[in-house]
Amino acid sequence: MNLTAIASIYRFEMTRFFRTLLQSFLSPVLSTSLYFVVFGAAIGSRIDQVEGVSYGAFIVPGLVMLSVMTQALSNASFGIYFPKFIGTIYELLTAPVSFLEIVIGYVGAAATKALFIGTVILITSTFFVDLTIAHPFAMVLFLLLTCLSFALFGFIIGIWAKNFEQLQLVPLLIVTPLVFLGGSFYSISMLPPFWQTVTHFNPVLYLISGFRWSFFGVADVPIGISLAAIALFTALCLGVIWWIFKTGWRLRG
Amino acid sequence: MTGILSIRDLRKTYDDGFEALKGVSLDLEKGEILALLGPNGAGKTTLISAVCGLINPTGGSVSVGGHDIDTDFRAARSMIGLVPQEVALEPFETVWNTVRFSRGLFGKPRNDALIQKILTQLSLWDKKDNQVKELSGGMKRRVLIAKALAHEPRVLFLDEPTAGVDVALRKGMWDVVAEMKADGVTIILTTHYIEEAEAIADRIGVIAKGELLLVEEKATLMTRMGRKQLEVQLDQPLKAIPEALSDYELELAEDGRTLIYSYDTRAERTGITALLNDIAGAGLKLRDVQTRQSSLEDIFVSLVEGEDA
């Protein structure tokens, strides 16, 4: 294992993050505050409680997940797409590094950035609502797994994308709707039976439900199924990345 | 001399059926400089890309220092450095960080003294804290070289390193190449500048349409392929070459004042004495006589044209 190479990729990627630290930090704080003002104060005042939890607190896990998923995805996809776009990918392909080392470096950095932003949002939310975390270890586990799996997914998108439009396409047209319709801001028990069934086909539901369970002990789907779903998603992404590097798809001519 | 790079029957056929490499074989010794010449689309970059791991070859094998680039890719690649044709650099990163990154990526431990030495050698030390986007085109090319040297490669591929670089800087790069050669680094250089190959290469390889037409010592090639020309300037212009001189296959320059005679320096008899006697016998008065050696460029053009014919 070329640990020096992994550390180099990780450090190089994190430098990009630190260059725009203010933007990386301010943006989630501002958007979280806006969500609390709009959803928490304006709408939340008309909704009493959801499954025994105040609406303001109920949306915290969804908010964290929304940002973590989109940030992990966009950071990882941009992280590997940018070298492809400017041509510096040649260096990765000619270096004595395996696919696993490249993935650990890029995905690790993207997951770290997403984790940082998720933590900032969680801390920001405590200024707006009283928050207790019923299962802190499970919460950290879900957070880490989500950062990791969506960073892996983002890495695939970054390799697949041939231009900036495609890079934005999947997050915009698929991930964001899935996150919003996966119960980020509501319990699926509030939906009519037909839409409840449809929502069960949304993979994001399982992540948000598990994450929310770690906060409040209530979930839309059993916790075991949530864990299995995220493990399956991670394994699927790893499998696709392994295939990409084995065949050189969109990397080697 | 010991072999360091061995390429055997290397082939690359793209999905659209285009054969970019048609079974190229090549051996390189430690510390030698090979200049690879060839027209655009000849397969120069494809050859380099296949050896360095940028494309998957369709067939053949490559070993570097005895390590197969496929089965023992870590050992093989750690010996190779590549300076690509296109200037590809992270624009917002500093020169120092981007060169340090390259060393780390190849698994080498941090060595600030070495990076300082490389940057100084390439006249980049005072720019080490500048972002890459602030540098001139020539400086960016040197950063690419610094990145390739950062992990101390034993085989260095320079894919048109001096394209678009001014004459002074080009000569400076040749000096760097000479220093690397002195350190025992093997260099494969592709170039369109034949004077570059002529100035720094030990051997010349000519590639066209995916085939290596020849690989030869520069001096041998010049002697073997090099024709010498004798230019005889006349006192009075001629309208046509006199009948008495028809056996010599002379050319008459446009101004009618110069007769050009091509001859082989290795031939037992060059025919110069007889020609000069016959010119005098034809009643022509000489103004000046000079000889000219074919340049590598002439040789290259004749080789590639021969291939096209």
Side-chain angles (χ1 to χ4, degrees):
Chain A
M1 185 69 91
N2 189 344
L3 293 176
T4 316
I6 297 174
S8 293
I9 296 172
Y10 184 84
R11 193 173 43 236
F12 202 72
E13 281 303 293
M14 290 309 286
T15 313
R16 200 204 310 278
F17 179 63
F18 287 121
R19 261 201 306 266
T20 55
L21 188 63
L22 198 65
Q23 179 195 325
S24 312
F25 180 78
L26 271 184
S27 166
V29 170
L30 188 70
S31 60
T32 312
S33 304
L34 285 173
Y35 273 114
F36 275 112
V37 169
V38 175
F39 285 97
I43 299 173
S45 61
R46 291 165 191 272
I47 301 173
D48 201 12
Q49 281 194 330
V50 182
E51 298 184 10
V53 181
S54 77
Y55 185 70
F58 181 84
I59 63 169
V60 171
L63 267 181
V64 173
M65 275 292 181
L66 175 69
S67 289
V68 162
M69 286 173 186
T70 48
Q71 287 290 332
L73 195 77
S74 61
N75 277 312
S77 59
F78 184 80
I80 192 68
Y81 177 74
F82 195 54
K84 268 175 55 186
F85 178 69
I86 60 172
T88 53
I89 190 90
Y90 84 88
E91 211 174 8
L92 278 179
L93 297 176
T94 57
V97 289
S98 69
F99 97 92
L100 195 63
E101 289 150 4
I102 295 176
V103 170
I104 294 172
Y106 277 99
V107 169
T112 307
K113 294 174 202 175
L115 187 67
F116 169 81
I117 288 162
T119 310
V120 167
I121 291 172
L122 205 56
I123 293 168
T124 309
S125 68
T126 60
F127 292 105
F128 293 89
V129 291
D130 289 327
L131 208 59
T132 50
I133 302 169
H135 309 284
F137 287 113
M139 191 277 281
V140 172
L141 180 71
F142 264 103
L143 197 58
L144 285 175
L145 280 174
T146 308
C147 289
L148 180 69
S149 57
F150 271 72
L152 285 169
F153 186 39
F155 190 86
I156 296 170
I157 293 168
I159 287 179
W160 165 77
K162 283 182 174 170
N163 50 50
F164 276 102
E165 193 188 10
Q166 287 186 347
L167 195 68
Q168 298 296 331
L169 211 63
V170 174
L172 204 67
L173 292 184
I174 300 173
V175 177
T176 307
L178 285 181
V179 173
F180 272 89
L181 299 173
S184 297
F185 301 108
Y186 54 83
S187 165
I188 62 161
S189 60
M190 296 157 90
L191 298 174
F194 172 75
W195 289 110
Q196 282 192 32
T197 311
V198 171
T199 307
H200 277 91
F201 289 98
N202 180 353
V204 175
L205 166 76
Y206 300 91
L207 303 182
I208 293 176
S209 171
F211 194 50
R212 185 172 287 135
W213 171 86
S214 67
F215 279 79
F216 312 121
V218 291
D220 285 327
V221 289
I223 182 69
I225 295 180
S226 284
L227 270 173
I230 196 165
L232 184 72
F233 183 55
T234 308
L236 202 67
C237 290
L238 274 173
V240 171
I241 291 172
W242 175 82
W243 173 83
I244 285 172
F245 278 90
K246 189 174 156 55
T247 58
W249 182 73
R250 300 252 162 125
L251 287 174
R252 290 191 168 92
Chain B
M1 297 265 258
T2 46
I4 187 140
L5 176 69
S6 171
I7 300 172
R8 285 281 160 276
D9 196 29
L10 197 63
R11 292 171 186 277
K12 176 64 186 176
T13 307
Y14 286 101
D15 290 342
D16 59 5
F18 175 68
E19 264 188 287
L21 292 177
K22 299 171 184 168
V24 171
S25 294
L26 178 66
D27 286 290
L28 270 113
E29 305 291 334
K30 192 180 165 198
E32 78 166 326
I33 302 178
L34 175 84
L36 209 51
L37 306 177
N40 286 326
K44 302 187 294 286
T45 301
T46 307
L47 177 63
I48 290 179
S49 301
V51 175
C52 293
L54 289 172
I55 59 167
N56 292 325
T58 321
S61 66
V62 179
S63 72
V64 186
H67 307 285
D68 187 90
I69 57 157
D70 198 28
T71 56
D72 195 5
F73 80 97
R74 279 188 201 273
R77 286 190 196 169
S78 63
M79 294 180 78
I80 300 177
L82 168 66
V83 179
Q85 202 176 112
E86 301 291 332
V87 176
L89 291 162
E90 167 92 31
F92 305 106
E93 202 48 82
T94 63
V95 170
W96 177 263
N97 276 348
T98 196
V99 176
R100 199 182 134 197
F101 168 72
S102 299
R103 182 171 172 83
L105 192 62
F106 278 72
K108 293 281 167 78
R110 188 173 171 167
N111 185 344
D112 291 354
L114 176 79
I115 293 177
Q116 180 176 349
K117 185 185 154 207
I118 293 169
L119 290 181
T120 308
Q121 199 178 20
L122 290 161
S123 311
L124 284 168
W125 178 243
D126 58 336
K127 299 285 178 191
K128 72 179 167 56
D129 296 321
N130 287 57
Q131 285 190 329
V132 167
K133 67 184 170 77
E134 297 163 1
L135 305 181
S136 69
M139 286 177 189
K140 284 178 186 162
R141 280 212 173 269
R142 278 180 280 158
V143 174
L144 283 179
I145 297 179
K147 280 169 78 69
L149 296 180
H151 68 274
E152 304 162 87
R154 302 314 297 158
V155 178
L156 184 68
F157 287 91
L158 295 163
D159 198 358
E160 294 186 25
T162 52
V165 168
D166 66 48
V167 177
L169 195 56
R170 198 179 302 164
K171 299 242 161 82
M173 283 194 188
W174 295 354
D175 292 340
V176 174
V177 168
E179 280 182 49
M180 286 188 282
K181 177 184 162 67
D183 286 343
V185 177
T186 305
I187 294 157
I188 295 98
L189 167 95
T190 74
T191 182
H192 279 294
Y193 301 113
I194 293 178
E195 55 156 359
E196 191 160 85
E198 211 165 343
I200 60 176
D202 299 311
R203 283 201 293 166
I204 309 282
V206 177
I207 188 167
K209 294 178 184 167
E211 284 177 285
L212 206 51
L213 302 180
L214 65 85
V215 180
E216 239 176 78
E217 294 288 331
K218 181 176 66 184
T220 317
L221 182 68
M222 298 284 286
T223 315
R224 189 168 70 82
M225 302 290 291
R227 306 267 301 163
K228 251 188 151 174
Q229 287 185 328
L230 176 76
E231 292 183 0
V232 180
Q233 288 180 13
L234 305 169
D235 202 36
Q236 294 297 320
L238 293 175
K239 284 186 180 155
I241 297 167
E243 191 65 27
L245 304 176
S246 60
D247 288 347
Y248 293 98
E249 294 180 7
L250 297 173
E251 287 174 59
L252 183 63
E254 268 183 37
D255 61 1
R257 285 180 183 272
T258 311
L259 286 169
I260 301 163
Y261 172 57
S262 297
Y263 62 97
D264 186 348
T265 48
R266 295 174 312 149
E268 202 175 310
R269 296 169 71 91
T270 59
I272 293 173
T273 315
L275 172 70
L276 292 177
N277 283 336
D278 287 346
I279 288 175
L284 303 174
K285 279 192 175 176
L286 306 186
R287 190 183 183 87
D288 196 4
V289 173
Q290 61 182 20
T291 61
R292 195 171 72 85
Q293 174 90 44
S294 310
S295 69
L296 202 51
E297 184 163 357
D298 299 329
I299 297 170
F300 169 68
V301 168
S302 71
L303 270 170
V304 174
E305 279 178 353
E307 181 68 9
D308 283 341

